Amino acid sequence: MHASADEAGRAAASVVAAALRRRLARAGEARVVFAAAPSQDAVLHALRAEPDIDWSAVTAFQMDEYVGLGDEHPQAFGTYLDDHIYGAVRPGRVHKMRPAGSGQAEADRYAALLAQAPIDVVCLGIGENGHIAFNDPGTADFEDPLAVKVVELDHASRVQQVNDGCFATVDEVPTHAVTVTVPALLAAATVVGSVSGTRKRDAVRRSLFGAIGTDCPASALRGHPNGWLFLDPDATPDEFMSVDPVKVE
């Protein structure tokens, strides 16, 4: 736990930056997957200020996107990432999701892009219902054979978008999305989670202390060999209070 969301974001960004620097020094290139949500604001703001990252050698991906929103829609996750990270650091390559129609063609295209090389870093949050990306309870699959798929969004996920101020009403929130799956996310060498706010506290509690299973998809993070979870005080469950970042083990 950190004293504020900003402090947690800076700590998370330092881990992300260190992982990118190591990979760039070793291989000359790096691949990172970003979440797009208000919980990532502080992380991405701090990451923009991290020195000595050759962003021109970084390939950036997003982990999910609504089906049916245009490329320039203000609530599209690609637009969020343009505003919060890409426009500032200018990665060498940016692969946006652009799902049209049913979204299946885009899921297939994006899976092929991810398969070209291993992912080095994933930056993610935890949803109010315990989702990671748009792998909701009921649709998450820890043994998913697919890297990217089309999903119907859980009602709680759609309500969260309203709670986050992204849409005015649930009816405005798209019903389907393309998402990177749980196994594909956890295949990354480093996974860095950042969570803030009281509405996430119960999901964090179940992720850290509940049964590992798809009832709380974020519980899968406990099986990652280099997974980190950074929390502000509001998101930190009473069972676990520490001044240090949580190493998910």
Side-chain angles (χ1 to χ4, degrees), residues 106-117:
E106 183 64 352
D108 294 342
R109 183 188 77 88
Y110 218 73
L113 291 171
L114 289 173
Q116 290 176 358

Side-chain angles (χ1 to χ4, degrees), residues 14-44:
S14 70
V15 173
V16 174
L20 290 175
R21 292 188 197 105
R22 286 194 301 270
R23 177 61 181 173
L24 289 166
R26 184 169 63 250
E29 60 183 6
R31 288 157 62 89
V32 57
V33 177
F34 289 112
S39 65
Q40 303 302 297
D41 289 359
V43 183
L44 298 181

